[in-house]
């Protein structure tokens, strides 16, 4: 049985003060939460302060990105060593905003995957197709190619610790959600690809989140799909009340 994982990607939002207020409220409201993982992804500036609030609670935290080298002359970058040093559990890699706006290639994402796993962090690897790719019937080819290239030289054990987020680009921040059936179909395709790259045992352990305009009013129907193991939430994770409602979708 895969543990559900609900994650909030705050992107370039929240000061340290706002981030700390948010997680304090989460810790209080979610202390009775069922058997699931709830992860917040603050900006780098707030990571350490958030780490201090959530230590020894059931709220986990992660980074939105990282570089693949441990240290050195890489002005402006943050290394996996630095993240591990403050107890970061998860790191989002390959988000479409980094692929599209910041020019991250599949090869760079693969280097980051290997570095994160070496430092025992769990990557959330984002994959997703553009609207024109879906309209041309190429969505599965795009996802397959991203998976093959991003997961190159990742071992079975490492793969079992990896989370995949299926985030169709046309659904991110647009208010348009993939239908639960379409999302489930793509998740099944992703799991099938993991079976072909690894094996059934590994594929059965990998959690696959859906991301793209997830809100309190659609989380239930998405999570009811057998292949959807969680959600990566952007906009609706910025407000604590809305994120708590999403995390409490079962109640
Ligand atoms: C995201 O950017 O990962 C995301 C899913 O955003 P939103 O929920 O705002 O569509």
């Amino acid at each position: 049985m895969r543990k559900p994982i609900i994650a909030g990607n705050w992107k370039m939002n929240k000061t340290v003060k706002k981030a700390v207020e948010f997680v304090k409220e989460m810790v209080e409201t979610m202390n009775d939460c069922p058997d699931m993982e709830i992860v917040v992804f603050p900006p780098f500036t707030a990571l350490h302060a958030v780490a201090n609030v959530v230590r020894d609670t059931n709220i986990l935290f992660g980074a939105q990105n990282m570089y693949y080298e441990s240290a050195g002359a890489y002005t402006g970058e943050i290394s996996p060593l630095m993240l591990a040093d403050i107890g970061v559990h998860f790191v989002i890699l390959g988000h479409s905003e980094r692929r599209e706006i910041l020019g991250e290639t599949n090869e760079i994402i693969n280097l980051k995957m290997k570095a994160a796993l070496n430092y025992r962090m769990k990557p959330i690897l984002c994959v997703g197709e553009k609207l024109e790719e879906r309209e041309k019937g190429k969505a599965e080819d795009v996802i397959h190619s991203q998976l093959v290239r991003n997961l190159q030289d990742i071992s079975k054990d490492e793969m079992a610790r990896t989370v995949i987020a299926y985030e169709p680009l046309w659904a991110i921040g647009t208010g348009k959600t993939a239908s639960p059936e379409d999302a489930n179909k793509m998740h099944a395709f992703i799991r099938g690809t993991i079976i072909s790259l690894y094996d059934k045992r590994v594929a059965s352990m990998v959690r696959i989140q859906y991301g793209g305009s997830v809100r309190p009013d659609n989380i239930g129907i998405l999570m009811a799909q057998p292949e959807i193991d969680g959600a990566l939430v952007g906009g609706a994770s910025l407000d604590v009340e809305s994120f708590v409602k999403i995390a409490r979708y079962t109640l």
Side-chain angles (χ1 to χ4, degrees):
M1 192 55 191
R2 295 181 291 269
K3 208 181 244 201
I5 172 167
I6 303 290
N9 172 14
W10 295 350
K11 311 192 183 189
M12 199 173 70
N13 292 293
K14 294 196 190 295
T15 57
V16 175
K17 185 169 175 280
K18 294 272 179 212
V20 165
E21 280 169 11
F22 186 111
V23 281
K24 279 188 176 160
E25 204 169 328
M26 279 298 288
V27 166
E28 271 173 37
T29 356
M30 296 305 292
N31 63 3
D32 64 336
C33 82
D35 197 20
M36 63 189 301
E37 287 182 341
I38 300 164
V39 196
V40 290
F41 289 86
F44 284 129
T45 46
L47 270 182
H48 196 227
V50 165
N52 286 336
V53 177
V54 303
R55 187 171 298 121
D56 301 325
T57 74
N58 54 2
I59 305 297
L60 302 167
F61 71 106
Q64 297 173 20
N65 177 41
M66 54 161 235
Y67 197 56
Y68 52 81
E69 296 288 357
S70 301
Y74 303 100
T75 302
E77 293 294 333
I78 300 282
S79 84
L81 171 67
M82 294 165 179
L83 296 181
D85 185 42
I86 58 163
V88 164
H89 311 105
F90 287 90
V91 59
I92 297 175
L93 296 176
H95 192 278
S96 59
E97 285 152 16
R98 297 210 59 88
R99 292 179 192 258
E100 296 299 310
I101 305 171
L102 292 143
E104 270 189 24
T105 62
N106 283 310
E107 290 63 41
I108 290 174
I109 295 161
N110 177 241
L111 290 171
K112 291 184 174 192
M113 286 288 295
K114 289 189 245 183
L117 288 158
N118 268 341
Y119 279 91
R120 309 294 303 171
M121 280 180 276
K122 292 182 186 173
I124 296 188
L125 172 65
C126 302
V127 294
E129 81 285 357
K130 296 179 190 154
L131 184 57
E132 60 266 31
E133 293 165 336
R134 173 159 283 259
E135 284 171 349
K136 284 185 190 148
K138 292 206 154 66
E140 290 188 351
D141 291 348
V142 170
I143 303 296
H144 188 267
S145 159
Q146 287 174 343
L147 288 171
V148 170
R149 294 162 79 185
N150 298 162
L151 297 174
Q152 204 175 331
D153 299 324
I154 302 296
S155 71
K156 285 186 181 181
D157 282 355
E158 290 171 334
M159 189 61 219
R161 286 191 274 130
T162 296
V163 177
I164 305 281
Y166 168 56
E167 299 208 307
L169 271 67
W170 46 270
I172 295 182
T174 57
K176 287 186 199 147
T177 321
S179 74
E181 296 74 23
D182 281 351
N184 192 59
K185 203 167 148 221
M186 187 57 93
H187 283 221
F189 175 77
I190 292 171
R191 206 173 303 284
T193 304
I194 299 169
I195 294 176
S196 68
L197 296 175
Y198 295 88
D199 58 34
K200 271 194 173 167
R201 187 191 65 87
V202 171
S204 72
M205 292 165 78
V206 173
R207 289 173 298 171
I208 308 175
Q209 297 178 302
Y210 169 77
S213 299
V214 173
R215 299 178 302 268
D217 65 332
N218 59 20
I219 182 73
I221 180 121
L222 287 162
M223 290 302 290
Q225 303 299 312
E227 292 292 347
I228 300 186
D229 304 314
L232 181 54
V233 188
S237 75
L238 289 173
D239 173 64
V240 72
E241 207 179 305
S242 129
F243 191 53
V244 164
K245 276 190 192 150
I246 291 172
R248 286 185 172 278
Y249 69 94
T250 47
L251 305 179

